[in-house]
Amino acid sequence: MNFRSYATTFFAAISIFGANIFGQTTDEVKTAQAQYNKVLEDAGRNFKDGLEAFKANKRADSGARFDKAVEVFLYSSLNIQRDGRLQGCYQQLIETVYRLEFPNSAQPPQIRQLASTCGWNWGEAELKLGDDVAQISKNSLQSPITNPTNGPSNSNVAIKNASLVGFNEQTFEPSPLDELSKLELTAEELQVENNPIAQEQYQYIQYVVANKSLGFSFQVHPMIQQYINYYRGRGRSTMEIGLYRSGMFMRMARRIFKEEGVPENVAWLGQVESTWKPSALSWASASGLWQFIPGTGSRYGLQRTAYVDERNSFDEATRASARYLKFLFNRYQNWELAMAAYNCGEGNVDRAVRRAGVTNFWLAYAYLPRETRNYVPNILATILIANSPGQYGFGNVRPAPPLQYDRIRVPASTNLGLLAQASDTSVQYLRYLNPHLRSNITPPEPYIVNVPAGKANDVVGVFKRIPASKVNNTNLATSVQGETWNTISNRTGVSVSDLMAANPGMKDPKGKVFVPMTEGNRITATTYSRPTSQPLAGLQSNVKIVKAQAGDTVARLAERHKSDPVEVAKYNGLLPNSVLGAGREIKIPGK
């Protein structure tokens, strides 16, 4: 199990300590008290081991030990919700480890307070260890970026530092805005009047705007054509990548923008913001497809907790973006200024408008930040190219297939391991569909997640059958016709009696069966499925299996075999940028 969002799984656990103990024997009370103390002691021991590993800069080891501290609560049979001290210890443990993993100067880790709440009888050495780790966490907040105007030049440093956050390596991709902010057009790109092709295209822009065929109006300006010149030349690969990746998200974005009353073509703003990469991170800590900074994301309902960062979500962040843009348009009654404010904030735009004396982007242009001056004509150029790719020499780009998924509400603190088993996929692919989840556990309240397309009913069916108290103490096994409880027992290591008790009313194994987790069966990442040499149902039979070379990613391997990287990634439950070990077998779906 992974720590970072172990929510209150224990809330529905079997009640032992929280039960009414009146009428119980002295021995029963002593047994319950011993269980109570053991949970606290074991959690404290593992947490201290995690602190020692953290101080030694063994971040992966520290994360594993912190995981163990939390698992003590998850695997206990105590109803911790009913006991104030256990509940307080667990919740503070979750919060403290989160603060160590994702440092925040406003909320430093309170390790001494945690030890006190949990009743850990720590001596001065342990308390000093906690103080040392808290100081290390605080020091990690120091950033070389001190002047926002110099931010883009430090973007690589920011990305590098961001990748050190957490106990395991995280992958971030630089936002295209970082390069855009310092982009300077060449003399050739600036040329419009003396360039016959550019002049013809500029006239086309005037026709399109006058015809109102884009669904919204804006003022035509030569700089828009200058950015088209840029994309037709040295910026070509950036545009091609954006147009390709837009296929994954643009259908969803158009639908949500339309629902929110925003012109659908304004959604192309997402291409300039992130090139449609949910993992894009800017020097200013803006994140996700729509590059929300934490404050604006929170303002529009995007949660950022120990469990999720919804700035990296698909649907939720897209809806927040549309609502923010609608608010900005209502403020300025001008889409160019609304886009400008999306980039640099209302305050900067208000000041520029006041200095210009008129609510007009091009007249306020000189008073706006440099990045914003580039940003707005860039978006307008992107919208024009995206709506008529052939007109601008991009007719050869075929957008990627839409990223399809079902959305379902799952119980509080659902383990993605169980969810993956229920939806016949991998945890890694679920994380790909839910980039806003910080770990392999959903938040401690019912939460909407994305699952592979067509699997919603299967997953809902599983959760209808499984008691809430068993959601995170159970795995699934996929049975096949003719199997018996004995054969499933042999391959899962769980007794026949325990299997039958976990599947009441099921005389013989049928479909997905529940496999309870016992003391010797805690491998939550395992999908128990019967080995078979037959093709999986619903998949192409002409699948080619190839071996990866050293240094391969899924995308590189797919391109070498002339296949769509996104399809290959989806087929293998991986990400397009997943690094493959030499010799790993990858399935290439037939065309």
Side-chain angles (χ1 to χ4, degrees):
M1 261 189 200
N2 185 301
F3 155 74
R4 287 169 296 281
S5 293
Y6 285 108
T8 50
T9 315
F10 51 82
F11 282 1
I14 302 173
S15 175
I16 293 180
F17 197 78
N20 187 339
I21 61 175
F22 294 108
Q24 293 182 346
T25 67
T26 302
D27 288 343
E28 288 174 330
V29 173
K30 287 182 177 179
T31 298
Q33 184 65 50
Q35 290 178 310
Y36 173 101
N37 292 335
K38 189 173 188 307
V39 166
L40 292 175
E41 291 169 4
D42 289 350
R45 184 181 64 256
N46 282 292
F47 181 76
K48 183 171 74 68
D49 291 344
L51 292 178
E52 291 174 346
F54 191 101
K55 185 175 180 179
N57 201 29
K58 298 178 180 178
R59 299 186 70 84
D61 290 345
S62 68
R65 299 313 303 181
F66 291 146
D67 286 354
K68 291 288 185 183
V70 175
E71 287 174 355
V72 170
F73 290 90
L74 293 178
Y75 291 126
S76 76
S77 58
L78 303 179
N79 189 331
I80 302 169
Q81 184 185 25
R82 295 188 181 182
D83 184 89
R85 187 178 177 190
L86 287 179
Q87 182 180 359
C89 178
Y90 181 89
Q91 291 180 335
Q92 283 196 36
L93 176 63
I94 289 284
E95 183 68 18
T96 301
V97 179
Y98 171 56
R99 294 304 170 195
L100 289 171
E101 186 175 18
F102 301 100
N104 183 330
S105 59
Q107 296 174 299
Q110 302 293 331
I111 298 175
R112 283 181 178 253
Q113 181 178 335
L114 171 66
S116 175
T117 299
C118 296
W120 298 333
N121 296 318
W122 282 6
E124 191 57 36
E126 288 87 356
L127 293 174
K128 185 177 184 304
L129 172 64
D131 293 341
D132 291 344
V133 168
Q135 185 62 44
I136 293 171
S137 176
K138 179 180 178 181
N139 292 342
S140 71
L141 289 170
Q142 295 178 355
S143 170
I145 301 174
T146 57
N147 184 348
T149 61
N150 296 326
S153 63
N154 293 318
S155 60
N156 290 336
V157 177
I159 300 300
K160 182 178 179 181
N161 287 348
S163 69
L164 297 178
V165 173
F167 299 125
N168 297 295
E169 182 180 359
Q170 298 178 352
T171 300
F172 294 95
E173 300 175 83
S175 165
L177 289 179
D178 292 344
E179 292 300 318
L180 171 64
S181 64
K182 57 186 178 183
L183 177 65
E184 293 186 5
L185 297 175
T186 65
E188 184 178 358
E189 291 162 351
L190 290 170
Q191 189 58 252
V192 176
E193 291 185 2
N194 297 326
N195 182 329
I197 296 178
Q199 185 61 34
E200 180 182 345
Q201 291 176 346
Y202 187 51
Q203 292 173 358
Y204 177 74
I205 296 175
Q206 295 171 318
Y207 168 77
V208 168
V209 172
N211 197 36
K212 299 181 179 180
S213 60
L214 295 176
F216 72 104
S217 298
F218 56 88
Q219 184 177 340
V220 178
H221 190 279
M223 185 171 281
I224 301 171
Q225 180 59 45
Q226 290 167 358
Y227 272 93
I228 290 175
N229 293 346
Y230 163 75
Y231 280 124
R232 293 183 66 247
R234 60 190 176 117
R236 183 173 192 84
S237 62
T238 300
M239 178 58 66
E240 288 179 338
I241 291 171
L243 291 176
Y244 170 76
R245 291 187 59 84
S246 72
M248 302 174 67
F249 301 105
M250 197 57 189
R251 179 189 295 178
M252 175 267 296
R254 283 186 178 277
R255 171 180 56 79
I256 291 176
F257 272 52
K258 182 178 181 180
E259 290 171 356
E260 295 297 331
V262 178
E264 295 177 36
N265 271 315
V266 175
W268 285 105
L269 172 146
Q271 179 155 318
V272 176
E273 288 285 345
S274 67
T275 328
W276 304 110
K277 295 175 181 177
S279 58
L281 177 72
S282 80
W283 69 272
S285 296
S287 187
L289 289 171
W290 305 97
Q291 289 292 283
F292 277 104
I293 60 173
T296 309
S298 175
R299 178 175 157 192
Y300 282 88
L302 299 179
Q303 297 185 63
R304 189 167 179 259
T305 69
Y307 311 99
V308 296
D309 186 345
E310 292 182 340
R311 297 180 301 155
N312 297 101
S313 62
F314 300 154
D315 297 68
E316 290 81 5
T318 301
R319 194 169 298 280
S321 177
R323 289 175 177 173
Y324 185 31
L325 284 163
K326 185 175 183 179
F327 162 78
L328 293 171
F329 176 76
N330 289 338
R331 183 186 186 100
Y332 300 109
Q333 294 299 307
N334 178 292
W335 279 112
E336 295 103 302
L337 287 174
M339 294 173 185
Y342 190 96
N343 177 254
C344 67
E346 300 99 291
N348 281 322
V349 172
D350 288 348
R351 283 190 292 272
V353 168
R354 281 198 302 270
R355 295 182 68 182
V358 62
T359 309
N360 180 290
F361 172 79
W362 296 107
L363 294 178
Y365 176 89
Y367 308 113
L368 289 166
R370 175 184 173 185
E371 177 181 339
T372 307
R373 298 179 207 168
N374 291 345
Y375 179 82
V376 173
N378 196 312
I379 293 175
L380 297 176
T382 298
I383 292 172
L384 288 159
I385 293 173
N387 276 269
S388 301
Q391 173 79 15
Y392 298 101
F394 292 93
N396 62 309
V397 180
R398 186 182 68 173
L403 186 59
Q404 297 184 358
Y405 47 88
D406 293 343
R407 289 170 59 77
I408 61 171
R409 188 180 298 274
V410 297
S413 307
T414 295
N415 191 316
L416 294 192
L418 177 64
L419 193 59
Q421 293 164 359
S423 57
D424 297 314
T425 189
S426 65
V427 170
Q428 193 172 17
Y429 188 58
L430 285 179
R431 295 295 299 273
Y432 176 61
L433 291 179
N434 297 274
H436 53 297
L437 295 180
R438 286 192 182 273
S439 77
N440 293 344
I441 298 288
T442 65
E445 64 270 339
Y447 193 76
I448 295 175
V449 297
N450 303 328
V451 298
K455 293 295 181 179
N457 290 339
D458 293 345
V459 176
V460 170
V462 166
F463 283 111
K464 281 184 176 179
R465 289 171 49 208
I466 190 170
S469 62
K470 301 293 186 182
V471 165
N472 285 300
N473 269 335
T474 302
N475 282 312
L476 292 178
T478 302
S479 63
V480 296
Q481 188 173 4
E483 269 202 296
T484 65
W485 290 118
N486 279 324
T487 59
I488 293 181
S489 174
N490 290 337
R491 60 187 169 95
T492 62
V494 178
S495 70
V496 171
S497 59
D498 285 346
L499 287 170
M500 295 184 72
N503 296 271
M506 190 179 292
K507 182 179 180 182
D508 296 307
K510 184 178 181 181
K512 295 187 186 300
V513 298
F514 297 131
V515 180
M517 293 167 57
T518 63
E519 191 70 28
N521 173 37
R522 293 187 176 180
I523 307 175
T524 60
T526 302
T527 300
Y528 297 111
S529 57
R530 186 181 181 87
T532 176
S533 59
Q534 299 300 316
L536 295 176
L539 300 181
Q540 300 102 312
S541 59
N542 58 333
V543 174
K544 179 170 64 174
I545 299 178
V546 299
K547 290 188 176 182
Q549 300 174 6
D552 266 350
T553 62
V554 172
R556 188 177 302 168
L557 181 144
E559 289 167 1
R560 188 164 64 244
H561 292 277
K562 297 180 173 54
S563 293
D564 184 341
V566 175
E567 290 302 313
V568 173
K570 289 165 60 177
Y571 199 85
N572 289 272
L574 299 169
L575 306 178
N577 64 347
S578 294
V579 179
L580 305 173
R584 177 168 179 176
E585 292 186 346
I586 295 294
K587 299 180 181 68
I588 305 292
K591 297 181 180 179

